[in-house]
Amino acid sequence: MQPGPNNIGAMQDWQLLVTHLIDHAAREHGEREIVTHWADGSETRTTWAGVRRDAAKMAEALRAAGLKPGERVATLAMNHARHLVTWYGAVGAGGVLHTLNPRLFDDQLDYIVNHAEDRIMIFDAAFAPLVERMKARWPTVEHYICFDSAQPAPAFEDWIAAYPGTAPWADANERDPCMLCYTSGTTGNPKGVLYEHRSTMLHAISGLQPQVHAMDCRTVMLPVVPMFHAASWGLPWLGAAAGAKFVYSAVNDPVVLCDLLRREKVTASAGVPTVWLSVLQHLDAGGDTLPDLKQVVCGGSAMPRSMIERFMGQGVRVVHAWGMTETSPIGTTGAESWDWDDRSFEDQVTIKSYQGRVPFGVELRCVDLDDPGKVLPRDGLTAGALQVRGPWVVKRYFKAERDAVDADQWFDTGDVAVLHPDGTLQLTDRTKDVIKSGGEWISSVELENAAVGHPAVAEAAAIGIAHPKWDERPILVVVKKAGADVTDTEIRDFLADKVAKWWLPDAVEFVDAIPHTGTGKISKKDLREQFRDYTLEGAA
Ligand code: AMP
């Protein structure tokens, strides 16, 4: 490396490569454990040193299998230590890790694997039927390896055992790609987001901050967020930087999760609200608590107020985060404000129910929904289309012909939000889900959040129904909690002091289940389809 142009000195050429993360973890925190609870109920323990050793072996196995720089290595797997090994092994071989969501539909998996041109596929035995079903539709995949069985493909441990793991990591540049994740694609085909070493490293370093994951080597982290969704919120990368202990569970059963949280003295966890609902229900049923748990990071969809109250009431710090696959995924986190301690508990809960503020590196703005050239004030009132930019935000989707950002690098998130004067983000909708009644916007998200606060409501979704006078009026679709009963009027009475009067749903419809997307979000598209012919009383 040459010194700087003025020859007055220069700093070292230390590329921001994710392989530095695992080298650091193995060297500085080599003894720190990675625990796995497997699908068959067995448990194994390795360490960051063990993960590095196996990743180096895997990198050699991949190169022996003919993997070339930049080629994709796919995984179809739940959370476990071998999956973690592949994150570093694939990248260490110069490849690109591609985590596949096994909950997607066959046609989506067909499209994604072919679009990504995956070369190697490493899967859990639990997904063997899926692999057998799809194999003929995945012509680019040349090698299949199974994580936890020697059938129907070579077992992962046997495959890597033949290699010493002594070769150096593949040469890479920090702007080289390291990971590929596809968005859930509620409309059109899924889109690939290709993360670079540099974007991943900056995201990981940022994630260590107190206002994000606040992670260090004393942290015991149980990531419930799947390793196949949105880079598992970056946790496998920043966990290595921190040298934290990780506890993985290949099953999402609340009984198993509560047992692990207690037994392994887990201090921090991260997952979507539905997971926490089932964990809290299980704790309530057994009258149990989690004395070691200090922090819960929750995102992916809005965290209900009742859940925030519940955690905060037990002294657990709640970090309500917003992000998307396109933002690596951390965009904002609900960190405490400087005057936090002067605020009432009620106020604190309200602030935590918003989506938080940006960490350094991310910029947000809202623009007018009808006139994107008009930037909206941060007044805590005006809802607009949320845009984001920063070093870990997508610029162009994988293989796309055009950038996904405007000339100033702003990426339109598809979310609708209000920005408060202090920069706090409050998500009110998806652009495609907003309900427009009498020329005014109604936030379906706020209606839903308020409704799930009712003790008899398990899940709620608001959609707009065509109305001759008002254009659209909201209806609320509700799934009752098992054994609970509630009427349309009781729900509307409950909402009356929580939302504006004209936001109150014109009807409440009770259903057994609300449709979800492959990533567990409410599928408004399917719900609208379900209620396509619905007419409101007096509106026909
Ligand atoms: P995905 O790329 O699958 O992670 O989906 C990203 C989308 O999830 C965002 O654009 C939001 O619509 C939604 N989302 C993420 N976090 C939150 C949150 N804390 N509250 C409400 N919606 C969220």
Side-chain angles (χ1 to χ4, degrees), residues 83-160:
H83 200 175
L84 182 63
V85 168
T86 64
W87 280 50
Y88 289 101
V91 179
V96 171
L97 171 77
H98 175 201
T99 47
L100 280 162
N101 181 347
R103 295 186 195 134
L104 295 180
F105 306 115
D106 285 3
D107 286 348
Q108 289 173 308
L109 286 169
D110 181 358
Y111 174 86
I112 290 174
V113 171
N114 285 299
H115 189 262
E117 298 173 76
D118 292 327
R119 288 276 319 277
I120 316 265
M121 172 85 61
I122 314 176
F123 61 97
D124 283 353
F127 304 122
L130 190 163
V131 169
E132 288 305 313
R133 195 168 69 235
M134 296 300 295
K135 245 179 174 173
R137 297 167 72 176
W138 290 338
T140 61
V141 180
E142 291 168 9
H143 300 278
Y144 287 88
I145 307 290
C146 185
F147 272 121
D148 49 351
S149 164
Q151 292 292 334
F156 183 78
E157 299 274 316
D158 299 339
W159 176 54
I160 64 169

Side-chain angles (χ1 to χ4, degrees), residues 3 27 38 117 140 166 168-169 183 208 218 233-234 236 276 305 321 339 371 384 401 404 415 461-462 474 477 515:
R27 196 172 49 233
W38 294 91
E117 298 173 76
T140 61
T166 47
W169 302 123
T183 58
L208 294 173
R218 288 171 307 167
W233 299 352
W276 298 118
R305 195 182 168 94
D339 55 354
D371 173 12
E401 279 168 12
D415 285 323
V477 184

Side-chain angles (χ1 to χ4, degrees), residues 184 229 299-302 320-325 355 415 427 430 521:
S184 30
H229 183 225
S301 44
H320 185 181
W322 164 85
M324 51 199 313
T325 307
Q355 279 74 9
D415 285 323
L427 237 63
R430 294 285 300 163
K521 296 190 206 310

